[in-house]
Amino acid sequence: DSVPYLAARVRIAEALYNKGFEDGAVARLEELVKKRPDVMPLHQALAELHFDMQNYQKAVDSFDVVIGAIGEVAERHAPLFFARGAAHERLKNYEKAADDMLQSLEMNPSNPVVLNYLGYMWADLDKNLEQAYDYIRKAVLLRPNDGAIVDSLGWAYYKKGKYERAVKYLEKATSLLPEDPTINAHLGDVYYKLGRTDEATIQWRRALELGLEADSEKDARRIEQKLQTLQDG
């Protein structure tokens, strides 16, 4: 029942996970949760493990337990709401994701990671574009050399149809994170809108070479179709 013992058991599970024994790690944490369901850090550790394993619904379920046990919400709880929101976003539960992230921002309004995550999600969905832009812009001011956040600002401009502004930030983002396939794909998209088709082709091919994953509107199939269209045309 001692805290050091429980903490040590969690560390053992994490070590197993890091060695590739994912099922064993989950089993150990689930056993601990069954024995001590009243210890919220155990539920949180299990939620984070499920998230890393892309078991997003199980992650949400475990975060629900932890958040449900909170009495008075305080700033220290902001990461919990963000984490659950991120799991909801992966499940495409966008309204629930936004609710959790807004709750996180209410407790900590200057967190650039949360500002960027929510802003990018909205921009990608063509939803709340002005608020998305405001959030991302604030995140960029807080972290001006974070390639992922700079990319988000460029993508927000792209979604607003402001391609000349978008290209400025997307080119900077690729210079900061040259191996990121999504950022390269975004740059290809804005080049295409500006009529710079040769440069668009280069960026799209690079995105595919870097392993662009199929996801929503930014998937590899869409890029392949555009490349084929340019080749045929």
Side-chain angles (χ1 to χ4, degrees):
D1 291 335
S2 71
V3 172
Y5 172 81
L6 294 174
R9 301 301 294 180
V10 171
R11 295 294 176 268
I12 290 172
E14 290 173 349
L16 284 170
Y17 176 74
N18 291 333
K19 287 292 185 180
F21 299 104
E22 296 179 353
D23 292 340
V26 170
R28 285 175 182 258
L29 283 179
E30 288 179 339
E31 182 181 358
L32 283 174
V33 167
K34 287 180 180 178
K35 289 181 178 179
R36 292 300 307 274
D38 58 311
V39 181
M40 291 303 109
L42 297 179
H43 291 277
Q44 183 174 345
L46 182 59
E48 291 168 354
L49 185 58
H50 279 312
F51 189 94
D52 285 344
M53 294 173 63
Q54 300 182 14
N55 299 327
Y56 299 121
Q57 186 56 58
K58 290 184 177 180
V60 167
D61 294 341
S62 293
F63 279 124
D64 282 345
V65 174
V66 180
I67 292 173
I70 296 174
E72 184 176 350
V73 176
E75 182 177 346
R76 68 179 184 277
H77 300 124
L80 288 172
F81 285 92
F82 170 66
R84 188 175 68 176
H88 275 306
E89 185 270 338
R90 302 298 174 86
L91 292 167
K92 303 188 186 304
N93 299 331
Y94 298 120
E95 289 189 9
K96 291 182 178 179
D99 288 343
D100 274 341
M101 291 183 195
L102 288 169
Q103 179 71 47
S104 181
L105 287 174
E106 187 175 331
M107 291 178 274
N108 184 5
S110 297
N111 187 315
V113 174
V114 184
L115 288 165
N116 178 64
Y117 202 117
L118 179 55
Y120 181 84
M121 183 186 81
W122 275 340
D124 210 37
L125 294 169
D126 291 309
K127 182 178 180 180
N128 302 331
L129 286 179
E130 289 303 322
Q131 191 171 6
Y133 167 80
D134 289 342
Y135 282 171
I136 297 168
R137 181 65 179 167
K138 185 175 181 181
V140 168
L141 291 173
L142 292 166
R143 287 190 183 177
N145 294 313
D146 186 313
I149 296 177
V150 174
D151 168 70
S152 295
L153 184 56
W155 195 237
Y157 277 127
Y158 175 90
K159 287 289 189 173
K160 293 173 71 175
K162 297 181 178 181
Y163 304 125
E164 292 291 350
R165 291 189 179 183
V167 73
K168 170 186 173 183
Y169 290 100
L170 291 172
E171 285 178 340
K172 180 180 179 181
T174 54
S175 71
L176 292 168
L177 290 175
E179 304 299 315
D180 188 291
T182 299
I183 295 176
N184 279 274
H186 285 170
L187 182 56
D189 288 345
V190 75
Y191 280 155
Y192 181 77
K193 288 291 188 180
L194 291 170
R196 298 161 63 175
T197 54
D198 289 344
E199 292 167 283
T201 299
I202 292 171
Q203 294 303 138
W204 285 337
R205 286 177 176 165
R206 179 164 174 74
L208 293 175
E209 290 170 359
L210 291 169
L212 185 69
E213 297 179 357
D215 178 30
S216 185
E217 295 179 282
K218 307 179 297 301
D219 61 22
R221 290 185 299 275
R222 180 179 65 86
I223 299 299
E224 289 168 350
Q225 289 169 356
K226 285 198 171 187
L227 287 170
Q228 188 63 48
T229 300
L230 287 176
Q231 183 176 341
D232 293 343

